[in-house]
Amino acid sequence: ALGKEFKSDKDPAQIMKGESIERAVLKINGGGTDVSLFAQQIGDQGAISFSKALKESSVLAWIDLTNNDIGPLGATHLAAALEGKTALNTLWLPYNKIGDEGVTALSRMLSTNTSLAKLDLASNGLSAKGAEVLVHTLKANPSLRELRLSMNYIGNEGATAVAMQLKALRDLQELDL
């Protein structure tokens, strides 16, 4: 089903509120399984700090970093911290500015993470090239069910690249371009 919103079992009030980066790190260190830094504007430096805590977690399943001014540098650190995290099933990164460089780093991480079911990269300044790199990597991820790439600059070329990979993304149930 194209254009559907992501569904979450999280309390909407908790998602909208977000957490401070300090509280999120404490939650991760305490074995928490979900973290929301929704609209905290942590930027690349906050993403780097957050990434250091992520490296220590083996149980984190749900991360919401929506609207945080994270660029390619922050995305690269996040990707490195999330490599091999088999508990992670939801990663929300919309309304940031990771661009093609950031999505390339995330793609490398996604090639080692086969548990991710939901990925939101809407409004991140991705081009057709970034979309193509991402979908080629996602072929190796059998668990992906939902993918959001809307409000990027992928154009017809990027949409075609995604469409060409749809057969390989057999379990994909929701796609938002």
Side-chain angles (χ1 to χ4, degrees):
L2 299 178
K4 286 189 176 181
E5 293 296 316
F6 278 127
K7 296 163 196 69
S8 173
D9 55 352
K10 306 299 175 200
D11 174 14
Q14 186 66 22
I15 292 170
M16 295 305 290
K17 181 173 82 169
E19 305 175 71
S20 70
I21 196 164
E22 293 82 10
R23 183 173 169 183
V25 168
L26 287 172
K27 193 175 197 181
I28 292 168
N29 291 339
T33 60
D34 61 289
V35 174
S36 173
L37 285 169
F38 182 93
Q40 297 298 306
Q41 298 302 309
I42 65 171
D44 283 336
Q45 292 307 309
I48 292 168
S49 297
F50 183 64
S51 297
K52 290 175 185 173
L54 285 176
K55 287 181 181 178
E56 304 304 316
S57 173
S58 61
V59 296
L60 195 60
W62 186 86
I63 301 172
D64 183 356
L65 294 171
T66 301
N67 194 15
N68 269 296
D69 202 33
I70 298 170
L73 179 63
T76 299
H77 282 267
L78 287 168
L82 292 171
E83 275 192 45
K85 300 294 182 189
T86 57
L88 184 66
N89 67 19
T90 302
L91 180 58
W92 290 356
L93 277 167
Y95 303 101
N96 284 290
K97 52 184 183 180
I98 66 171
D100 291 344
E101 182 182 341
V103 85
T104 299
L106 286 170
S107 293
R108 284 191 297 273
M109 176 272 296
L110 291 169
S111 69
T112 67
N113 178 318
T114 57
S115 61
L116 193 70
K118 299 177 183 181
L119 178 61
D120 188 343
L121 296 173
S123 192
N124 263 293
L126 305 182
S127 73
K129 179 183 176 191
E132 189 170 347
V133 167
L134 179 67
V135 295
H136 280 298
T137 302
L138 291 176
K139 289 190 302 188
N141 190 320
S143 60
L144 190 68
R145 304 285 186 273
E146 300 177 25
L147 177 62
R148 286 190 75 169
L149 296 175
S150 62
M151 296 179 283
N152 282 296
Y153 306 104
I154 66 171
N156 290 338
E157 184 182 343
T160 300
V162 171
M164 297 294 285
Q165 300 304 323
L166 285 178
K167 277 188 178 179
L169 301 173
R170 289 184 298 262
D171 294 329
L172 190 67
Q173 297 169 358
E174 297 185 30
L175 174 64
D176 186 1
L177 294 178

